[in-house]
Amino acid sequence: MSRHVGSCHCGGVRFSVNHEVTELTTCDCSLCVKRNAVMGKVPEAALSIDQGQELLATCQWNSMRAVHHFCRRCSIYVFHRKRAAPNHFGVNIFCLDGFDPNSLPVRATEGAGMTLVCDRPRAEWPGSRAREPEGRNRY
């Protein structure tokens, strides 16, 4: 098993991944496209936060199943709990120290077509519209 260490830009958030990253992914959802994310998928148990838990801020929107984590101090997206695979994280591959992103294939994943469950989805957000369950407010 491989061990990778990583951090945000300022070094306040440090984490470890105890898993062999064998493939990188991109996603065509509006959030991933705008942040130009390239991710490695790792099981939940393989990711540990070594320092800076208190610096992690989260962003959730739409279905609220994905939880995107970034550093409060430098704003770098470090990882997120995946919507389609909630027992896995997508790790920002550029946050892993010494990792060569050119060493692995990159697979495009489809996020734009996932169902939107927002009360007020923006017109430019693709995906099918669904009525939001009662009592739940979305971004």
Side-chain angles (χ1 to χ4, degrees), residues 5 12-13 15 33 35 38 40 45 49-50 57 59 68 84 94 98 102 114 117 121 125 128 131 133 136 138-139:
V5 295
V13 176
F15 61 95
V33 167
R35 71 178 174 208
V38 178
I49 301 166
D50 303 325
C59 173
H68 303 267
F94 299 113
N102 297 315
M114 293 180 109
V117 293
W125 292 349
S128 61
R131 180 162 161 67
R136 298 182 74 179
R138 295 292 180 247
Y139 184 90

Coordinates of all heavy atoms in Angstrom, one line a residue, residues 5 12-13 15 33 35 38 40 45 49-50 57 59 68 84 94 98 102 114 117 121 125 128 131 133 136 138-139:
V5 N 1.5 12.0 1.4 CA 1.2 13.1 2.3 C 0.9 14.3 1.4 O 1.4 14.5 0.3 CB 2.3 13.4 3.3 CG1 2.5 12.2 4.2 CG2 3.6 13.7 2.6
G12 N -1.3 24.8 6.5 CA -2.1 24.6 7.8 C -2.9 23.3 7.8 O -3.1 22.8 8.9
V13 N -3.4 22.9 6.7 CA -4.1 21.6 6.6 C -3.2 20.6 6.0 O -2.7 20.7 4.9 CB -5.4 21.7 5.8 CG1 -6.0 20.3 5.7 CG2 -6.4 22.7 6.4
F15 N -2.6 16.3 5.5 CA -3.3 15.0 5.5 C -2.5 13.9 4.9 O -1.5 14.2 4.2 CB -4.7 15.1 4.7 CG -4.6 15.5 3.3 CD1 -4.6 14.6 2.3 CD2 -4.5 16.9 2.9 CE1 -4.5 14.9 1.0 CE2 -4.3 17.2 1.6 CZ -4.3 16.3 0.6
V33 N -15.5 22.2 -12.7 CA -15.0 22.9 -13.8 C -14.4 24.2 -13.4 O -13.3 24.6 -13.9 CB -16.1 23.1 -14.9 CG1 -15.7 24.1 -16.0 CG2 -16.5 21.7 -15.5
R35 N -13.2 25.2 -10.6 CA -12.0 25.1 -9.8 C -10.9 24.2 -10.5 O -9.9 24.0 -10.0 CB -12.3 24.6 -8.4 CG -12.7 23.1 -8.3 CD -12.9 22.8 -6.9 NE -13.4 21.4 -6.8 CZ -14.1 21.0 -5.8 NH1 -14.5 21.7 -4.8 NH2 -14.6 19.7 -5.8
V38 N -8.7 18.1 -10.5 CA -8.2 16.8 -10.9 C -8.1 16.0 -9.6 O -7.4 16.4 -8.7 CB -6.9 16.9 -11.7 CG1 -6.4 15.5 -12.0 CG2 -7.0 17.7 -12.9
G40 N -8.0 12.2 -7.2 CA -7.8 10.8 -7.0 C -8.8 10.3 -6.1 O -9.0 10.8 -5.0
A45 N -11.6 5.3 4.7 CA -10.6 4.9 5.7 C -9.2 5.2 5.3 O -8.3 5.1 6.2 CB -10.8 3.4 5.9
I49 N -6.6 13.2 8.4 CA -6.2 14.6 8.6 C -5.2 14.6 9.7 O -5.5 14.2 10.9 CB -7.4 15.5 8.9 CG1 -8.5 15.4 7.8 CG2 -7.0 16.9 9.2 CD1 -9.8 15.9 8.2
D50 N -4.0 15.0 9.4 CA -2.9 15.0 10.3 C -2.7 16.3 11.1 O -2.2 16.3 12.2 CB -1.6 14.6 9.6 CG -1.7 13.3 8.8 OD1 -2.3 12.4 9.3 OD2 -1.1 13.2 7.8
A57 N -12.9 24.3 6.2 CA -14.2 24.8 6.0 C -14.9 23.9 4.9 O -14.2 23.1 4.2 CB -14.2 26.2 5.5
C59 N -18.1 23.2 1.9 CA -19.1 23.8 1.0 C -20.0 22.6 0.6 O -19.5 21.6 0.2 CB -18.3 24.4 -0.2 SG -19.5 24.9 -1.5
H68 N -17.4 19.3 0.3 CA -16.2 19.8 -0.3 C -15.4 20.5 0.8 O -16.0 21.4 1.5 CB -16.4 20.8 -1.5 CG -17.2 20.1 -2.5 ND1 -16.6 19.5 -3.6 CD2 -18.6 19.9 -2.7 CE1 -17.5 19.0 -4.4 NE2 -18.7 19.2 -3.9
A84 N -21.6 10.5 -5.5 CA -21.9 9.2 -6.1 C -21.3 8.1 -5.4 O -21.8 6.9 -5.5 CB -21.5 9.2 -7.6
F94 N -3.2 17.7 -6.8 CA -2.1 18.7 -6.8 C -1.7 19.1 -5.4 O -0.7 19.8 -5.2 CB -2.5 20.0 -7.6 CG -2.7 19.6 -9.0 CD1 -4.0 19.7 -9.6 CD2 -1.7 19.2 -9.8 CE1 -4.2 19.4 -10.9 CE2 -1.9 18.9 -11.2 CZ -3.2 19.0 -11.7
G98 N 5.0 15.8 -4.0 CA 5.8 14.9 -4.9 C 5.1 14.0 -5.8 O 5.7 13.1 -6.4
N102 N 1.2 13.4 -14.1 CA 1.4 12.9 -15.5 C 1.6 11.4 -15.5 O 1.7 10.8 -16.6 CB 2.5 13.6 -16.2 CG 2.2 15.1 -16.3 OD1 1.1 15.5 -16.7 ND2 3.1 15.9 -16.0
M114 N -26.1 15.1 -13.3 CA -26.7 14.6 -12.1 C -27.9 15.5 -11.8 O -28.0 16.7 -12.1 CB -25.7 14.7 -10.9 CG -24.6 13.7 -11.1 SD -23.4 13.7 -9.7 CE -23.8 12.2 -8.9
V117 N -31.4 19.4 -7.3 CA -32.5 19.4 -6.3 C -32.6 20.8 -5.6 O -33.1 20.9 -4.5 CB -32.4 18.3 -5.3 CG1 -32.6 16.9 -6.0 CG2 -31.1 18.3 -4.6
P121 N -32.3 26.6 -9.0 CA -31.1 26.3 -9.8 C -30.8 27.4 -10.8 O -31.8 27.9 -11.4 CB -31.4 25.0 -10.4 CG -32.9 24.9 -10.4 CD -33.3 25.7 -9.2
W125 N -26.8 25.8 -15.0 CA -26.5 24.5 -14.4 C -27.2 23.5 -15.2 O -28.4 23.4 -15.3 CB -26.9 24.4 -13.0 CG -26.1 25.3 -12.0 CD1 -25.0 26.0 -12.3 CD2 -26.5 25.6 -10.7 NE1 -24.6 26.7 -11.2 CE2 -25.5 26.5 -10.2 CE3 -27.5 25.2 -9.9 CZ2 -25.5 26.9 -8.9 CZ3 -27.5 25.7 -8.6 CH2 -26.5 26.5 -8.1
S128 N -31.0 17.3 -14.8 CA -32.4 17.3 -14.7 C -32.9 18.0 -13.4 O -32.2 17.9 -12.4 CB -32.9 15.9 -14.8 OG -32.4 15.1 -13.8
R131 N -38.0 18.2 -7.9 CA -38.6 18.9 -6.8 C -37.8 18.6 -5.5 O -37.6 17.4 -5.2 CB -40.0 18.6 -6.7 CG -40.7 19.3 -5.6 CD -42.2 19.3 -5.8 NE -43.0 19.6 -4.6 CZ -43.0 20.8 -4.0 NH1 -42.3 21.7 -4.5 NH2 -43.7 21.0 -2.9
P133 N -37.3 17.9 -1.7 CA -38.2 17.4 -0.6 C -38.5 18.5 0.4 O -37.7 19.4 0.6 CB -37.3 16.3 0.1 CG -36.2 16.0 -0.9 CD -36.1 17.2 -1.8
R136 N -36.3 21.0 3.3 CA -34.9 21.0 3.0 C -34.6 22.2 2.1 O -35.2 22.4 1.1 CB -34.4 19.7 2.4 CG -34.7 18.5 3.3 CD -34.2 17.3 2.8 NE -32.8 17.2 2.8 CZ -32.1 16.2 2.4 NH1 -32.7 15.2 1.9 NH2 -30.8 16.2 2.5
R138 N -31.8 24.3 -0.1 CA -30.5 24.1 -0.9 C -30.0 25.4 -1.3 O -30.7 26.3 -1.6 CB -30.8 23.1 -2.0 CG -31.2 21.7 -1.6 CD -30.0 21.0 -0.9 NE -30.4 19.7 -0.5 CZ -30.5 19.3 0.7 NH1 -30.3 20.1 1.7 NH2 -30.8 18.1 1.0
Y139 N -28.7 25.4 -1.5 CA -27.9 26.5 -2.0 C -28.4 27.0 -3.3 O -28.8 26.4 -4.2 CB -26.5 25.9 -2.2 CG -25.4 26.8 -2.6 CD1 -24.7 27.5 -1.6 CD2 -25.1 27.0 -3.9 CE1 -23.6 28.3 -2.0 CE2 -24.1 27.8 -4.3 CZ -23.4 28.5 -3.4 OH -22.4 29.3 -3.7

